[in-house]
Each structure stands twice: as structure tokens, then as C-alpha cells.
């Protein structure tokens, strides 16, 4: 932690004293509560130095703590000063419990735009004081301006359904539930519902704003005027009322007596307070867009397949290059990531990365959400493990893939192969799953861990997350995790399949494909069953596979998968990459 961060911490404590507070809460989220935030929303990084995508800080007069999950344990240690910050595991050491013990009865300030009502409700034993403006913004004198680039229409041919049809379909669902309106604050929900995209975030094609969807299919869209072009206004049509975000409180005030759906888990607590003040009837419930958005229609599924085909071409061109370049020891984590980005940029419809590439060699691969920079960048050495987790945003789909590579030229140690093979067995076990409708991600999580568990090993992250259709690479409401909310998997959902194993100081292993939920036709079944279609088309590194340790069914799946990868990609590859692919996809 730099002296600059110490100065900021002192300034925040001074602001707390000025407002009569004993402490202040700083979530990672911004006013939209999304995973990704623009530079102006990086308040947690500003005050603590921690740049992870999930976390929360609590600053008191004499103590301060920053919380995150198992993905960021090592990153917390590297980016924060132990003399100023306590580093806490957000699951094992709950922030609310920490605060109740550290400041019983204290007055704790917070910004009601940056925390959900559900998260706020977890704090007890203290007085939570809503404040405006945000105290971080007061001391952040050179805070970047909010993004104001124009939004743009998304083609209906790729969306598969018009915005008007979506709004009326979801409006009818509100009416059937006895609700008049619904609050929308998620950038992905706005993008999907209105068939728009934007450039407000670096890795998600969102135009940030808020909306009110009404039961008759009309809607109010509250977005900075700089984002609304004449083309967009014409695209939205007369049933969408457009106003600035400053008009939102007035619009909420008109909902007196109306039944309004508000999601206390995912939307700012400000809305709950504003709806109560307006004397609206709050109907707690999930964002009405979340589940329909997660169930991709035929056009979105076709787009996903097309995007993964092109992404597979890019990945194989990269891996063929890596097979020659990495054993030399002349490449670095940054140069490899740049090479992969160039391979993707050569593909049709490529719009950018879906997240910052995790390019980790050796011990850096054990940092689950490692992000290489100039300070951490190191050479990729011969005969070590290299992990590359990356993805692309294409106009017709979003990709996310991880491969673990042995750099060579020598053989991989048996101990490493044993760990990799256990992880790969989990990836395959989940991909082969067949299950009845109603099964949720928490029910499937153990399938990916079983071989690791047999060896006394595990990993401290979920096994899978939802993925959007040219939207966020991390999409709710479905996931595959022991901690997942019980949301049933359904036809059309896209999820990641990414078990791993991490040996701190040595290497990290993760094997990730994306899966599309499809109906399974089982003649004897008395109810509907589901299965997965594997979208990702990239080979696994056979130098790290101990075939004797793979269950017979898994080995058969792997050989069939590699045959499919070769047949699908070969027509689009350079001669050199096609030759490499033929060799690595030969039956094991």
C-alpha cells in the first residue's frame, strides 16, 4: 500500500468525524451494483489498493478491514498494506459480524446507491446511516468522469426477438403476478430488454442507466442524454419514455399506490427507500429480466455456436504458436496475452475481450483471478505450468475458456499430470451430466469435484457461472456452486464448467469450457431431462493428461471431443495450425 493510500485513508477518517460517524462502508459495486464498474466507480480500489472484482471495505477510526472471497486471497495480500488493513475472507469472516464486534452501537455511514437492501439488512448491532454524497467521492478530487458514449441498437436478427415483444411478454408476466411496474438497474437487463448495447464498461457492452417496466409493455428509460442518439430514439419507439437519471426520483414518486417489483438482492437500497417514501406497494422479487435473458432463444444459441467456432480458431492459432514459442523462454505473460488478443482480433465480429486475460505462469497461475501488469509480468519458463483464462466479446456471442499448458520441451512431472487429470476428469464429468428439470447448479457442483475429493483436494471457487449473449461473461441468476441460489437450470442457459486446483507458490490448474443446456431425449423418462452441449472448441494439452487416471467414459468423451474440435476448426485454420491440431487431437 502506497503512502498515497495511507493519505486517502486518513482523509476518509476525517470525513467520518466531520459527519459524526464511527465508520464508513465501501462496497466494490457502483450505483448499478454490477460486477464490472467504470473507472469512476472504482472506489474500493481508490481507498485500499485492492482491484479485485468482488469485495467490501469497512473503515473505522482505529481499524480497517477489506473483505473478499477465495479467488482473491493472494491478491489481497499483495495489494493491501497489512499495517493498515485487516484482510478477511468474506465467507468465513462475515463483514456484519466483524463490524458488530469492532464497533458495537456505532454510527456507520454508507451510500444507499452502492449496496442492495438485502446486503444492508445483514448489518445489526450498529446504526447504518445513509449519506449523500458518497464520502469517497468527496476525497477523490481527480475522480474520472462517468462514461457518456452513445448507446446503439442491437440487431433483432441476433437478439431473436424485438424489444417491443420482450417488453409486452414481461409486462404480461408482471400483470399476471398482480404487479404494475418493475425497477430495472442492471446494465445487462437494459441491454437485453431494449435490444441496445453500449461502451460504458471495458469488457461488457452496456449502456448504464435505469428503467421502469410497466405491465402494459411501456417503459421509462433513464439515461444520460449524451447516450441517446436519434437512431436509438427511433429504435426504442413511442412506447419507451426517455428521460435523464435526474428525473428518476420524480418518476418513482408517481407510483403511489402501485404494486412495484423491486429486487432487494440485486438493486440499490435507494430504490426501496424511494418507493416507501412514494407510498408504493413493494413486491420483493427477482429482476424480471434475469431469467428470460438467461434462457437463450434459437437466434442467440446459433450466435453462441458461431462465436465459439471463431473463438476456437483464434485459440488454436494461439496454442499452435505457443507450442513453439513458450519452450524458448523468450515470451512473457504479457506478450502471450497480447498474442492471443491479436489472434482474436483477426476474427470476424470481434468486439474486444470479455474480461482481462488471466495469463499466469508457474506460481502466478495459483492466484485464481491473477491479472498481469508491468510489475508482476515475468517470463514464461520452459518446463512449467502456464494457465491462460480468457474470453472474447463477439457481436453474436460471448466466450470464456481456460486451458492449462505444459510449456516443455521436457515431460511434465507425474505429480502435475495427476493434478491436471483430476481437474480434467471433473470438467468432463460435468459436461456429460444428464439430469431432470428442476435440478439447480448446487446439485451438480460435486460432479466436477469428485476426482479431486478422492485425492483430498479441492478449490475455493464455484464451478460454473452463467454467460450472456454478447453481454456479461458473468451472468445470473444461475450458477454451479455449493453456495448457489436454488435456481433451476433450464433449456437455453449457457454456463461455464471450470473446476481447478491451485498449489500456492507453484502452479494453478483450471480447465474451462462453456456448456449450453439442451433437452435430453430419453425414451424411458417419465419427466423431461436435460443435458449439456459443449460450445467451446479447443483441445486440452495431452502433455498433461495421464490417460490411465481418467475413467473410461471420460477418455471416450475426450477422444470424441477432440475429433469434433479437429473436424470443426480445421477448414478455417492456417496450414501450420491445422497440422498442429491434427497431431494434438489424435486419439489417446
Amino acid at each position: 500500500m502506497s503512502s498515497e493510500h495511507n493519505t486517502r485513508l486518513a482523509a476518509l477518517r476525517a470525513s467520518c468525524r466531520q459527519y459524526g460517524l464511527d465508520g464508513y462502508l465501501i462496497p466494490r459495486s457502483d450505483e448499478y451494483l454490477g460486477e464490472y464498474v467504470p473507472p469512476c466507480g472504482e472506489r474500493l480500489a481508490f481507498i485500499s489498493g485492492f482491484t479485485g472484482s468482488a469485495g467490501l471495505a469497512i473503515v473505522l477510526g482505529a481499524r480497517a478491514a477489506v473483505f473478499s472471497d477465495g479467488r482473491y486471497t493472494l491478491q489481497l495480500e499483495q495489494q493491501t498494506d497489512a499495517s493498515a488493513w485487516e484482510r478477511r475472507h468474506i465467507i468465513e469472516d462475515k463483514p456484519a459480524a466483524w463490524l458488530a464486534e469492532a464497533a458495537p452501537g456505532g454510527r456507520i455511514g454508507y451510500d444507499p446507491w452502492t449496496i442492495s437492501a438485502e446486503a444492508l439488512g445483514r448489518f445489526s448491532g450498529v446504526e447504518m446511516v445513509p449519506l449523500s454524497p458518497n464520502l469517497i467521492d468527496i476525497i477523490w478530487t481527480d475522480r474520472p468522469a462517468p462514461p457518456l458514449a452513445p448507446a446503439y441498437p442491437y440487431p433483432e436478427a441476433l437478439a431473436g426477438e424485438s424489444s417491443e415483444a420482450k417488453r409486452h411478454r414481461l409486462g404480461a408476466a408482471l400483470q399476471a403476478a398482480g404487479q404494475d411496474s418493475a425497477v430495472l438497474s442492471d446494465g445487462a437487463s437494459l441491454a437485453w430488454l431494449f435490444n441496445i448495447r453500449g461502451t460504458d464498461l471495458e469488457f461488457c457492452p452496456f449502456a448504464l442507466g435505469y428503467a421502469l417496466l410497466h405491465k402494459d409493455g411501456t417503459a421509462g428509460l433513464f439515461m444520460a442524454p449524451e447516450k441517446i442518439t436519434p437512431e436509438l430514439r427511433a429504435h426504442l419507439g413511442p412506447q419507451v419514455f426517455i428521460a435523464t437519471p435526474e428525473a428518476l426520483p420524480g418518476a418513482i414518486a408517481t407510483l403511489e399506490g402501485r404494486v412495484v417489483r423491486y429486487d432487494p438482492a440485486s438493486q440499490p437500497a435507494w430504490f426501496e427507500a424511494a418507493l416507501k417514501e412514494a407510498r408504493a406497494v413493494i413486491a420483493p422479487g427477482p429482476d424480471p429480466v434475469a431469467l428470460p435473458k438467461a434462457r437463450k432463444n434459437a437466434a442467440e444459441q446459433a450466435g453462441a455456436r458461431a462465436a465459439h467456432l471463431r473463438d476456437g480458431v483464434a485459440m488454436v492459432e494461439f496454442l499452435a504458436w505457443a507450442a513453439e514459442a513458450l519452450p524458448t523462454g523468450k515470451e512473457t505473460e504479457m506478450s502471450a496475452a497480447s498474442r492471443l488478443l491479436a489472434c482474436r482480433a483477426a476474427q470476424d465480429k470481434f468486439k474486444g475481450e470479455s474480461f482481462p486475460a488471466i495469463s499466469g505462469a508457474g506460481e502466478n497461475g495459483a492466484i485464481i483471478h491473477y491479472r498481469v501488469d508491468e510489475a508482476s509480468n515475468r517470463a514464461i519458463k520452459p518446463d512449467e505450468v502456464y494457465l491462460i483464462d480468457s474470453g472474447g466479446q463477439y457481436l453474436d456471442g460471448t466466450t470464456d475458456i481456460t486451458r492449462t499448458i505444459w510449456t516443455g520441451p521436457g515431460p511434465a512431472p507425474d505429480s502435475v499430470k495427476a493434478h491436471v487429470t483430476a481437474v480434467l476428469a471433473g470438467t468432463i464429468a460435468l459436461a456429460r451430466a444428464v439430469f431432470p428439470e428442476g435440478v439447480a447448479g448446487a446439485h451438480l457442483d460435486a460432479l466436477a469435484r469428485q476426482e479431486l475429493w478422492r485425492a483430498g483436494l479441492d478449490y475455493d471457487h464455484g464451478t460454473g457461472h452463467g454467460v450472456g449473449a454478447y453481454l456479461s461473461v458473468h451472468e445470473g441468476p444461475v450458477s454451479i456452486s455449493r453456495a448457489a441460489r436454488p435456481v433451476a437450470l433450464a433449456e437455453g442457459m449457457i454456463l461455464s464448467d471450470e473446476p481447478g486446483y491451485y498449489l500456492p507458490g507453484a502452479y494453478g490448474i483450471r480447465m474451462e469450457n462453456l456448456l449450453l443446456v439442451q433437452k435430453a431425449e430419453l425414451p424411458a423418462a417419465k419427466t423431461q431431462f436435460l443435458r449439456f452441449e459443449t460450445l467451446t472448441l479447443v483441445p486440452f494439452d495431452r502433455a498433461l493428461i495421464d490417460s490411465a487416471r481418467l475413467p473410461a467414459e471420460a477418455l471416450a468423451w475426450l477422444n470424441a471431443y477432440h475429433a469434433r474440435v479437429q473436424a470443426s476448426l480445421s477448414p478455417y485454420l492456417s496450414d501450420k495450425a491445422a497440422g498442429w491440431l491434427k497431431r494434438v487431437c489424435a486419439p489417446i
Side-chain angles (χ1 to χ4, degrees):
M1 183 175 178
S2 67
S3 59
E4 186 177 32
H5 285 106
N6 285 320
T7 301
R8 294 169 183 173
L9 192 56
L12 178 59
R13 284 175 167 143
S15 290
C16 286
R17 291 192 295 271
Q18 181 181 349
Y19 280 84
L21 300 172
D22 298 298
Y24 195 69
L25 189 71
I26 309 106
R28 165 54 169 62
S29 50
D30 65 359
E31 297 86 339
Y32 306 96
L33 302 194
E35 176 182 0
Y36 296 102
V37 303
C40 64
E42 292 281 8
R43 297 180 177 95
L44 180 59
F46 171 83
I47 195 66
S48 70
F50 173 60
T51 62
S53 65
L56 176 145
I58 302 173
V59 174
L60 304 175
R63 296 175 68 182
V66 59
F67 300 78
S68 192
D69 59 41
R71 296 171 296 171
Y72 295 112
T73 301
L74 295 178
Q75 189 172 332
L76 273 176
E77 294 177 1
Q78 293 175 349
Q79 293 185 326
T80 60
D81 181 357
S83 68
W85 294 93
E86 300 173 27
R87 293 84 163 252
R88 301 284 180 163
H89 194 295
I90 201 166
I91 297 173
E92 298 172 359
D93 192 0
K94 306 291 187 186
W98 182 93
L99 181 57
E101 180 276 327
R107 285 171 47 84
I108 308 300
Y110 70 96
D111 180 348
W113 281 102
T114 63
I115 188 170
S116 70
E118 182 179 283
L120 185 63
R122 298 189 187 113
F123 291 92
S124 60
V126 294
E127 180 187 356
M128 300 300 294
V129 182
L131 286 178
S132 181
N134 189 295
L135 294 194
I136 297 294
D137 298 350
I138 293 175
I139 65 173
W140 194 353
T141 55
D142 58 348
R143 181 176 173 234
L148 296 174
Y152 56 90
Y154 187 61
E156 187 177 328
L158 296 176
E161 185 180 10
S162 70
S163 172
E164 182 179 8
K166 290 178 180 179
R167 287 186 280 104
H168 282 274
R169 176 159 63 92
L170 270 61
L174 291 177
Q175 186 168 26
Q179 297 164 5
D180 297 297
S181 303
V183 170
L184 302 177
S185 61
D186 180 16
S189 293
L190 269 61
W192 183 88
L193 182 65
F194 294 106
N195 284 349
I196 62 175
R197 298 295 189 269
T199 59
D200 285 354
L201 301 178
E202 188 175 2
F203 302 104
C204 298
F206 296 171
L208 298 173
Y210 303 98
L212 292 173
L213 173 66
H214 306 299
K215 64 182 180 181
D216 62 358
T218 64
L221 179 62
F222 302 87
M223 195 170 280
E226 293 88 343
K227 300 178 186 181
I228 308 298
T229 65
E231 180 190 17
L232 187 70
R233 189 175 293 274
H235 162 76
L236 293 171
Q239 292 186 327
V240 178
F241 169 76
I242 303 171
T244 67
E246 290 74 21
L248 183 58
I252 295 287
T254 68
L255 298 176
E256 181 177 357
R258 304 286 182 89
V259 180
V260 182
R261 184 187 294 197
Y262 160 75
D263 186 356
S266 71
Q267 295 174 339
W270 179 89
F271 282 100
E272 182 182 64
L275 288 167
K276 287 179 177 178
E277 185 176 351
R279 297 183 181 178
V281 178
I282 298 177
D287 179 336
V289 175
L291 199 56
K293 172 169 56 69
R295 300 190 63 174
K296 279 66 177 176
N297 59 38
E300 291 169 323
Q301 292 182 37
R305 294 187 188 98
H308 277 84
L309 179 66
R310 294 192 300 276
D311 202 60
V313 170
M315 281 294 303
V316 168
E317 292 285 354
F318 167 76
L319 292 173
W321 165 84
E324 291 187 356
L326 299 191
T328 68
K330 296 179 180 178
E331 300 298 330
T332 68
E333 294 167 333
M334 291 185 74
S335 71
S338 296
R339 177 74 181 214
L340 177 52
L341 178 57
C343 291
R344 283 198 168 101
Q347 303 303 312
D348 186 37
K349 296 184 174 65
F350 180 71
K351 294 295 184 179
E353 294 178 290
S354 56
F355 59 97
I358 299 170
S359 176
E363 71 283 355
N364 286 342
I367 304 172
I368 297 173
H369 268 207
Y370 172 70
R371 183 174 181 179
V372 62
D373 56 26
E374 293 288 351
S376 68
N377 185 38
R378 77 161 180 81
I380 303 173
K381 303 171 186 175
D383 293 328
E384 72 173 353
V385 176
Y386 171 62
L387 184 152
I388 178 69
D389 182 350
S390 64
Q393 290 285 13
Y394 299 85
L395 190 61
D396 49 0
T398 300
T399 71
D400 183 2
I401 172 176
T402 311
R403 288 296 181 265
T404 303
I405 303 167
W406 179 252
T407 60
D414 289 343
S415 60
V416 176
K417 292 173 70 174
H419 289 159
V420 170
T421 304
V423 173
L424 178 59
T427 305
I428 295 172
L430 182 57
R432 296 182 61 246
V434 179
F435 49 94
E437 283 187 333
V439 163
H443 304 138
L444 299 179
D445 182 77
L447 294 177
R449 300 177 189 263
Q450 55 188 328
E451 294 301 323
L452 286 164
W453 284 351
R454 287 192 178 100
L457 308 174
D458 203 1
Y459 51 94
D460 192 10
H461 59 75
T463 297
H465 54 81
V467 178
Y470 187 42
L471 287 171
S472 176
V473 74
H474 291 159
E475 178 179 85
V478 70
S479 64
I480 300 174
S481 166
R482 283 173 288 188
R485 292 174 181 267
V487 178
L489 276 65
E491 183 183 9
M493 291 178 173
I494 297 176
L495 299 103
S496 69
D497 171 6
E498 49 180 313
Y501 174 68
Y502 310 91
L503 187 60
Y507 53 80
I509 300 162
R510 191 160 58 252
M511 301 292 194
E512 177 186 17
N513 283 346
L514 294 193
L515 308 176
L516 171 63
V517 181
Q518 299 281 31
K519 288 182 179 178
E521 302 304 330
L522 303 177
K526 303 302 182 185
T527 186
Q528 182 63 59
F529 274 68
L530 301 171
R531 63 175 179 84
F532 290 121
E533 171 190 342
T534 299
L535 293 172
T536 306
L537 296 169
V538 179
F540 295 95
D541 187 357
R542 59 195 298 135
L544 284 170
I545 300 171
D546 182 351
S547 59
R549 293 177 178 269
L550 270 182
E553 299 88 348
L555 183 59
W557 183 96
L558 180 64
N559 283 328
Y561 175 72
H562 278 168
R564 177 185 164 215
V565 168
Q566 184 187 350
S568 300
L569 300 184
S570 291
Y572 308 102
L573 295 169
S574 64
D575 290 343
K576 190 172 185 178
W580 176 87
L581 184 64
K582 182 178 181 180
R583 292 191 297 274
V584 303
C585 286
I588 299 175

Coordinates of all heavy atoms in Angstrom, one line a residue, residues 473-498:
V473 N -19.9 -11.7 -19.3 CA -19.3 -13.0 -19.2 C -19.7 -13.7 -17.9 O -19.7 -14.9 -17.8 CB -17.8 -13.0 -19.3 CG1 -17.1 -12.4 -18.1 CG2 -17.2 -14.3 -19.7
H474 N -20.2 -13.0 -16.9 CA -20.7 -13.5 -15.6 C -22.2 -13.1 -15.5 O -22.4 -11.9 -15.3 CB -19.9 -13.0 -14.4 CG -18.5 -13.5 -14.3 ND1 -17.5 -12.9 -13.6 CD2 -18.0 -14.6 -14.9 CE1 -16.4 -13.6 -13.7 NE2 -16.6 -14.7 -14.5
E475 N -23.1 -14.0 -15.8 CA -24.5 -13.6 -15.8 C -25.3 -14.5 -14.8 O -25.1 -15.7 -14.8 CB -25.0 -13.9 -17.3 CG -26.5 -13.6 -17.4 CD -27.0 -13.9 -18.9 OE1 -27.3 -15.0 -19.2 OE2 -27.0 -12.9 -19.6
G476 N -26.1 -13.8 -14.1 CA -27.1 -14.6 -13.2 C -28.3 -14.9 -14.0 O -28.5 -14.6 -15.2
P477 N -29.3 -15.5 -13.3 CA -29.3 -15.9 -11.9 C -28.8 -17.3 -11.6 O -28.7 -17.7 -10.4 CB -30.8 -15.8 -11.5 CG -31.5 -16.3 -12.8 CD -30.6 -15.8 -13.9
V478 N -28.3 -18.0 -12.6 CA -28.0 -19.4 -12.4 C -26.4 -19.5 -12.3 O -25.7 -18.7 -12.9 CB -28.5 -20.3 -13.6 CG1 -27.7 -20.0 -14.9 CG2 -28.4 -21.7 -13.3
S479 N -26.0 -20.5 -11.5 CA -24.6 -20.8 -11.4 C -24.4 -22.2 -10.9 O -25.4 -22.9 -10.5 CB -23.9 -19.9 -10.4 OG -24.4 -20.0 -9.1
I480 N -23.2 -22.8 -11.0 CA -22.9 -24.1 -10.5 C -22.0 -24.0 -9.3 O -20.8 -23.7 -9.5 CB -22.4 -25.0 -11.6 CG1 -23.4 -25.1 -12.7 CG2 -22.0 -26.4 -11.0 CD1 -22.8 -25.8 -13.9
S481 N -22.5 -24.1 -8.1 CA -21.7 -23.8 -6.9 C -22.4 -24.3 -5.7 O -23.6 -24.3 -5.7 CB -21.4 -22.3 -6.8 OG -21.0 -21.9 -5.5
R482 N -21.7 -24.7 -4.7 CA -22.3 -25.1 -3.4 C -23.0 -23.9 -2.8 O -24.0 -24.2 -2.0 CB -21.2 -25.6 -2.5 CG -20.7 -27.0 -2.8 CD -19.6 -27.4 -1.9 NE -18.3 -26.7 -2.2 CZ -17.1 -27.0 -1.7 NH1 -17.0 -28.0 -0.9 NH2 -16.1 -26.4 -2.1
A483 N -22.6 -22.7 -3.1 CA -23.2 -21.5 -2.5 C -24.3 -20.9 -3.4 O -24.8 -19.9 -3.1 CB -22.2 -20.5 -2.2
A484 N -24.6 -21.6 -4.5 CA -25.6 -21.1 -5.5 C -27.0 -21.0 -4.9 O -27.4 -21.8 -4.1 CB -25.6 -21.9 -6.7
R485 N -27.7 -19.9 -5.3 CA -29.1 -19.8 -5.0 C -29.8 -21.0 -5.8 O -29.4 -21.3 -6.9 CB -29.6 -18.5 -5.5 CG -29.1 -17.3 -4.7 CD -29.6 -16.0 -5.2 NE -29.1 -14.9 -4.5 CZ -29.7 -14.3 -3.5 NH1 -30.9 -14.7 -3.1 NH2 -29.2 -13.3 -2.8
P486 N -30.9 -21.5 -5.3 CA -31.6 -22.6 -5.9 C -32.4 -22.2 -7.2 O -33.6 -22.2 -7.1 CB -32.5 -23.2 -4.8 CG -32.8 -22.0 -3.9 CD -31.5 -21.1 -4.0
V487 N -31.7 -21.9 -8.2 CA -32.3 -21.5 -9.5 C -32.1 -22.7 -10.4 O -31.0 -23.2 -10.7 CB -31.7 -20.3 -10.1 CG1 -32.3 -20.0 -11.5 CG2 -31.8 -19.1 -9.2
A488 N -33.2 -23.3 -10.9 CA -33.2 -24.5 -11.7 C -32.5 -24.2 -13.1 O -32.8 -23.1 -13.7 CB -34.6 -25.1 -11.9
L489 N -31.7 -25.1 -13.5 CA -31.2 -25.0 -14.9 C -32.3 -25.2 -15.9 O -33.2 -26.0 -15.7 CB -30.0 -26.0 -15.1 CG -28.7 -25.6 -14.6 CD1 -28.6 -25.4 -13.1 CD2 -27.6 -26.6 -15.1
A490 N -32.2 -24.5 -17.0 CA -33.3 -24.6 -18.0 C -32.7 -24.6 -19.4 O -31.6 -24.0 -19.6 CB -34.3 -23.5 -17.8
E491 N -33.5 -25.1 -20.3 CA -33.0 -25.1 -21.7 C -32.7 -23.7 -22.2 O -33.4 -22.8 -21.9 CB -34.2 -25.7 -22.6 CG -33.8 -25.8 -24.1 CD -34.9 -26.3 -24.9 OE1 -36.1 -26.4 -24.4 OE2 -34.7 -26.6 -26.1
G492 N -31.5 -23.6 -22.9 CA -31.1 -22.4 -23.4 C -30.1 -21.6 -22.6 O -29.5 -20.6 -23.0
M493 N -29.9 -22.0 -21.3 CA -28.9 -21.4 -20.5 C -27.5 -21.8 -20.9 O -27.2 -22.9 -21.3 CB -29.1 -21.7 -19.0 CG -30.4 -21.2 -18.4 SD -30.6 -21.7 -16.7 CE -32.0 -20.7 -16.2
I494 N -26.6 -20.8 -20.8 CA -25.1 -21.1 -21.0 C -24.4 -20.9 -19.7 O -24.5 -19.9 -19.1 CB -24.6 -20.1 -22.1 CG1 -25.3 -20.4 -23.5 CG2 -23.1 -20.3 -22.3 CD1 -24.9 -19.4 -24.6
L495 N -23.6 -21.9 -19.4 CA -22.8 -21.9 -18.1 C -21.4 -22.3 -18.4 O -21.1 -23.1 -19.3 CB -23.5 -22.8 -17.1 CG -24.9 -22.5 -16.6 CD1 -25.8 -23.4 -17.3 CD2 -25.0 -22.5 -15.1
S496 N -20.5 -21.9 -17.5 CA -19.1 -22.3 -17.6 C -19.0 -23.6 -16.8 O -19.8 -23.9 -15.9 CB -18.2 -21.3 -17.1 OG -18.3 -21.1 -15.7
D497 N -18.0 -24.4 -17.1 CA -17.6 -25.6 -16.5 C -16.1 -25.5 -16.2 O -15.3 -25.8 -17.1 CB -18.0 -26.8 -17.4 CG -17.5 -28.1 -17.0 OD1 -16.9 -28.2 -15.9 OD2 -17.6 -29.1 -17.8
E498 N -15.7 -25.1 -15.0 CA -14.3 -24.8 -14.7 C -13.8 -25.2 -13.4 O -13.5 -24.3 -12.5 CB -14.1 -23.3 -14.9 CG -15.1 -22.4 -14.2 CD -14.8 -20.9 -14.5 OE1 -13.7 -20.5 -14.4 OE2 -15.8 -20.2 -14.8

